[in-house]
Amino acid sequence: MINKRLLVKSLLAHNDENSFYDKKRFINIGEKEGKAKFLKHVCALANSNPENNSFIVVGVEDEDNRIVGTDFFDDSKIQNLVNAYLDNPPFISYENIPFPHLPEGKVVGLVTIRSNGKLCSLRRNIWKYYGGSVFFRDGSMSMPKVFDIKIKDTNSKVVAEIEQHARNNIELTLNGVIDFINNKHKDLESHYKVFKEQFVVCWAGVAKKVSQPEDKGGDKIYYSRVDIELINEQVRLFYSALDEVEITADDSAFSMTEYVHLGLNQHQKYYPLETVTITFNDNGSYKIDSTLLFEPPQYDKKLLHHVYNTNNVLLDKLKKGVPLSTVEKKDMVNLPATYLICALNGFEDAKEKLDDYRWIIKEYDRSVYESLKESLRVLRKVKYN
């Protein structure tokens, strides 16, 4: 098992950006330009490394390799994005790696790319890149190539050495469990479970028991302020300061079901969003499967037009610096969730509003901004499912 925190450190310490490794301050696949550049780098790294893994480290300053972190990125559907835009798409994963010095909610993103052995290219036009384009790494740059196109392996040995240096050991695992329970979440209810004598999963949160009849499964415990880590690999599997999560585990699998709180006015309820199950095998491997459960609430279009227009007026006032009334401040608290409902009911501009005004909202109120990020995350999951 590879300790992903050690892997990130090895990549940063011993390598400049090259044909198997790139680093970014952040990525933004919510906008066309950011999505196009991300796909270009994935394509180039896959073509330049047909026999080994390639990596993109996110949350690092380019000039001095300083680890500054990025927002937790919960997007289990990133493979679907790559499949939609690339021919011969590589296998890709995005993992959130916690570092002790980073603020709460900040992690380092690790994108791992594995070629399928065939030439990867853009399937269709996106931003300023044309469908059919092929990219390769030229030093630290991802460049288009139109002649002498041939994939060849040049990095297998050096990548294997880097991954070998990042192998886990029992000391790191024990330290990780103790740090998670005693330091990171000493104010929360914390648990750990060992699977197949090899893997350790830790989770913490605020527990709430909900009484139910026996015929509906009996009492259930839900967690908010949830943090879940696969300690062996130093990977944060889930993090949320808002939503509620149901957690179940048996001898070989760990499962979490996330719920989102949605509704208009006082009529709100929890809707199941997604179930993620990690199945651990006796041979030291594991797989992660996710199932989207979300069925968005539907509302009368006339009512939603009123909500949508009210939100637009609020954003316009924020942009112009006009003070908000007491009632408008209360509406601002619910703005990201109501825009989310509008987007799920066919208002295509609602997501663009959240994207376009995210920095203005961040300056106005950090808690509203956190809610905005949650709304965009739900929309990503639904879009790429």
Side-chain angles (χ1 to χ4, degrees):
M1 285 173 282
I2 295 177
N3 185 305
K4 301 301 173 63
R5 187 188 294 170
L6 290 181
L7 177 59
V8 168
K9 288 181 176 180
S10 296
L11 289 169
L12 294 178
H14 302 297
N15 299 276
D16 292 325
E17 291 175 302
N18 52 42
S19 59
F20 64 84
Y21 156 63
D22 197 5
K23 61 186 175 185
K24 299 293 177 189
R25 177 64 183 81
F26 62 89
I27 59 173
N28 182 7
I29 63 172
E31 298 177 358
K32 281 188 177 180
E33 179 180 351
K35 185 187 299 181
K37 289 180 177 179
F38 175 72
L39 291 167
K40 176 188 73 172
H41 292 309
V42 169
C43 179
L45 287 164
N47 285 333
S48 301
N49 300 279
E51 300 295 333
N52 54 267
N53 291 331
S54 304
F55 308 97
I56 303 175
V57 178
V58 186
V60 177
E61 291 287 3
D62 191 48
E63 296 82 6
D64 56 4
N65 270 5
R66 185 163 53 93
I67 297 175
V68 295
T70 186
D71 288 337
F72 182 91
F73 185 74
D74 177 18
D75 199 332
S76 57
K77 309 301 179 187
I78 197 168
Q79 182 71 59
N80 291 4
L81 167 65
V82 171
N83 293 348
Y85 280 92
L86 298 180
D87 280 325
N88 296 319
F91 302 103
I92 184 168
S93 65
Y94 188 109
E95 296 169 305
N96 297 277
I97 316 302
F99 275 73
H101 72 280
L102 294 177
E104 183 178 358
K106 293 292 184 180
V107 293
V108 170
L110 177 64
V111 183
T112 303
I113 301 155
R114 181 79 181 191
S115 170
N116 68 359
K118 299 179 181 179
L119 186 69
C120 180
S121 62
L122 277 182
R123 177 172 293 173
R124 59 178 190 262
N125 297 349
I126 179 171
W127 193 47
K128 65 179 183 181
Y129 306 133
Y130 294 104
S133 297
V134 177
F135 298 93
F136 281 81
R137 293 288 287 184
D138 184 3
S140 63
M141 306 290 289
S142 298
M143 304 294 292
K145 197 169 185 180
V146 294
F147 60 90
D148 191 28
I149 298 177
K150 182 169 61 175
I151 60 175
K152 55 184 179 179
D153 174 38
T154 58
N155 297 313
S156 287
K157 185 175 180 180
V158 64
V159 172
E161 289 178 356
I162 291 172
E163 291 180 333
Q164 182 61 38
H165 291 155
R167 293 290 171 184
N168 208 353
N169 61 55
I170 192 169
E171 180 182 6
L172 291 171
T173 301
L174 288 173
N175 288 343
V177 173
I178 294 169
D179 181 62
F180 185 93
I181 295 175
N182 292 346
N183 298 325
K184 289 183 181 177
H185 302 298
K186 57 185 177 183
D187 60 331
L188 299 176
E189 180 178 315
S190 300
H191 303 269
Y192 74 91
K193 185 171 176 61
V194 179
F195 296 90
K196 300 297 182 181
E197 301 180 329
Q198 300 178 75
F199 303 93
V200 183
V201 176
C202 286
W203 68 96
V206 177
K208 180 177 70 175
K209 181 182 287 187
V210 177
S211 299
Q212 292 187 159
E214 289 296 331
D215 60 346
K216 292 188 177 181
D219 295 348
K220 288 191 175 183
I221 295 178
Y222 296 91
Y223 295 90
S224 57
R225 289 179 61 195
V226 177
D227 189 5
I228 304 173
E229 289 187 19
L230 178 59
I231 298 297
N232 307 68
E233 299 191 357
Q234 290 292 333
V235 172
R236 178 170 276 173
L237 299 171
F238 182 85
Y239 175 84
S240 176
L242 300 177
D243 297 337
E244 296 210 357
V245 174
E246 181 183 4
I247 293 173
T248 59
D250 57 28
D251 291 340
S252 60
F254 179 91
S255 183
M256 52 191 170
T257 301
E258 179 187 0
Y259 295 78
V260 291
H261 200 210
L262 287 178
L264 297 177
N265 301 320
Q266 304 302 316
H267 306 288
Q268 299 192 345
K269 60 179 288 190
Y270 283 97
Y271 294 84
L273 174 62
E274 182 182 44
T275 292
V276 176
T277 300
I278 312 169
T279 304
F280 300 97
N281 303 314
D282 291 321
N283 62 2
S285 64
Y286 67 90
K287 68 174 182 176
I288 301 178
D289 295 310
S290 61
T291 304
L292 192 73
L293 308 173
F294 192 49
E295 294 185 6
Q298 300 297 307
Y299 290 92
D300 177 71
K301 285 291 193 291
K302 187 178 293 186
L303 172 62
L304 289 182
H305 273 291
H306 172 72
V307 172
Y308 183 69
N309 291 333
T310 299
N311 285 349
N312 291 345
V313 170
L314 290 174
L315 289 183
D316 192 50
K317 284 189 173 184
L318 279 185
K319 185 176 182 180
K320 294 178 179 178
V322 177
L324 302 182
S325 67
T326 302
V327 174
E328 288 173 333
K329 289 179 179 178
K330 290 182 179 179
D331 289 338
M332 270 301 302
V333 173
N334 297 318
L335 181 140
T338 51
Y339 262 141
L340 171 60
I341 290 174
C342 289
L344 295 170
N345 280 263
F347 289 70
E348 295 183 0
D349 291 341
K351 180 183 180 299
E352 294 181 13
K353 292 285 187 182
L354 291 174
D355 274 323
D356 293 343
Y357 285 83
R358 61 187 301 166
W359 305 120
I360 295 175
I361 291 175
K362 184 177 182 179
E363 291 180 4
Y364 168 75
D365 189 292
R366 285 302 298 254
S367 62
V368 177
Y369 176 67
E370 292 298 321
S371 179
L372 178 148
K373 291 194 296 183
E374 290 291 307
S375 294
L376 289 175
R377 183 174 65 87
V378 172
L379 289 173
R380 279 201 310 270
K381 282 184 176 290
V382 173
K383 179 178 180 180
Y384 294 122
N385 183 58

